[in-house]
Structure formats: C-alpha cells, structure tokens
Amino acid sequence: MTDTSPRHILRVDASMRREGSHSRGLADRVVDRLTAQRPDTRVTVRDLADGSMRLVDETWIGANFTDPAQRSDDQKAALAFSDRLVAELRAADTIVITMPIYNFTIPASLKAWIDLVARARETFRYTEAGPEGLLTGKRAILVYVSGGVAAGSETDFATDYMKHVLKFIGITDVEIIDAGQLMFAEAEKLEAAHARIETLAA
C-alpha cells in the first residue's frame, strides 16, 4: 500500500550567513526536491541565525531536572523555548540540518540547539539497558559544507558527532549531502552535491 499521509519537514539552518551561504542554498534544493515529490509536505523552518537561540544556564538546568509535575511557573517559562524546539522535532518526520563547518566543527548555534533538544524524558530516556532515543521513525539529512575539511577525514569532528547525537535521541536514518573542501574544488564539489540531492527520495 502506498503511504499517502502528509509529510512534515523541519529545516534547521545553522549558517550565520544568509547571503551567499552554500549550506542554505543546498538546503533549498533538498527541500525543493522533497516537496516536489510530495506537494502536500509541510515545512517548518528554524533559523538559528535569527537571534532567538539561547544557551543552557543554571536556571534552565534546575528546571529541566525538576519533576514536570513540580515545576514552578518560572521554571516552566525557563523551558518554554526548549519545549517549542522539541515539539518541532516531534512533529517532523524529516529533519534537514545545515552543517557549515566553523573551525573544524559545527557552529555554536547548532550546539546550542542540540543542548536544548537533547532532554531526558523528552527525547531520550535511561533504561536498564542504557539510553534509549524516543524520536524514532524519523529521517535526517545533513548538509555538510566546509572550506577545507573533507567529510569523514581525520579532521572532520562534525559528522560523526551529529550522527551520534541524532542516534542518541532515536534518529538512525541519517544521510549526508557532502559539499566539503569548497576552497579547493568549489564547482566540482557543488555539482556532486547537487547530483546527490537529485537522488533523494521523499
């Protein structure tokens, strides 16, 4: 039987550049490819460059580790933004994440997003057998862009980390659109990334 249910994409943009950003441009093509195959797809965009991202602090930690039934109004308010980010993840079946490489790893904004969505009892839980991700049945597409670091190389500290984090919260179906080392062969690398995008199935 063909699955005709509506799809929901969450797009997370981590590039601090809006103009001339290769990762954003490639993500545009990814989303266009997926929505062309499924016109009923809903797309939610979380732009980490819009100034809304917050860092985990002591107040947030105290609220997060308080039993939900015992949280004060102030603690609920401290977690409200994180709750919205988690809800966006839960609602989506496909997550497209741009990964421009800054100084050999992911941008600070993307790390902040991870810290706000990797939450015990919300996106993972601890069991006698170890941690268990709760966001199963989802797919992630990582758009990897770097000037000089090749994906999968010994100086790539980003892709394995992102795959591990996603697996930790239950997302094991992870694909990578590789546009690494653009400083050395930009046209060739972008052409290869575009060709890879054209193979994506909705």
Side-chain angles (χ1 to χ4, degrees):
M1 178 182 297
T2 301
D3 181 5
T4 58
S5 60
R7 297 296 184 184
H8 189 165
I9 295 171
L10 170 62
R11 171 175 170 168
V12 180
D13 277 307
S15 176
M16 295 298 102
R17 298 173 62 195
R18 287 198 171 91
E19 297 297 326
S21 167
H22 287 302
S23 66
R24 288 176 183 267
L26 290 170
D28 287 343
R29 293 179 71 108
V30 170
V31 172
D32 286 347
R33 166 72 180 175
L34 298 180
T35 55
Q37 298 175 79
R38 295 292 297 269
D40 57 353
T41 298
R42 176 184 173 191
V43 180
T44 297
V45 178
R46 173 58 62 178
D47 190 341
L48 305 186
D50 67 3
S52 65
M53 286 307 298
R54 305 170 189 178
L55 299 179
V56 166
D57 58 16
E58 186 173 10
T59 300
W60 188 96
I61 291 173
N64 189 50
F65 284 96
T66 297
D67 186 296
Q70 303 300 318
R71 286 174 186 154
S72 66
D73 289 342
D74 286 344
Q75 288 177 319
K76 292 175 183 177
L79 293 174
F81 182 66
S82 173
D83 289 340
R84 289 198 295 274
L85 299 182
V86 170
E88 289 173 354
L89 263 179
R90 283 202 187 107
D93 55 70
T94 300
I95 301 96
V96 178
I97 303 174
T98 64
M99 282 176 55
I101 301 304
Y102 293 177
N103 298 314
F104 303 102
T105 190
I106 61 174
S109 60
L110 184 53
K111 178 58 167 62
W113 179 82
I114 290 167
D115 289 343
L116 292 174
V117 300
R119 290 174 57 185
R121 301 181 301 277
E122 298 289 342
T123 57
F124 73 92
R125 65 184 175 188
Y126 289 109
T127 71
E128 292 181 356
E132 176 187 0
L134 301 178
L135 302 182
T136 57
K138 301 181 185 294
R139 169 197 193 189
I141 300 171
L142 305 179
V143 179
Y144 176 93
V145 176
S146 77
V149 178
S153 70
E154 63 180 9
T155 53
D156 171 16
F157 306 113
T159 53
D160 282 348
Y161 170 72
M162 286 298 298
K163 287 190 288 187
H164 179 80
V165 166
L166 291 169
K167 180 179 180 181
F168 186 74
I169 61 175
I171 304 170
T172 57
D173 181 0
V174 180
E175 301 167 80
I176 297 175
I177 304 300
D178 181 4
Q181 295 189 304
L182 294 184
M183 293 297 292
F184 302 106
E186 180 176 319
E188 176 185 341
K189 296 291 186 177
L190 289 176
E191 182 179 356
H194 293 162
R196 174 71 182 88
I197 290 169
E198 291 306 308
T199 70
L200 291 174

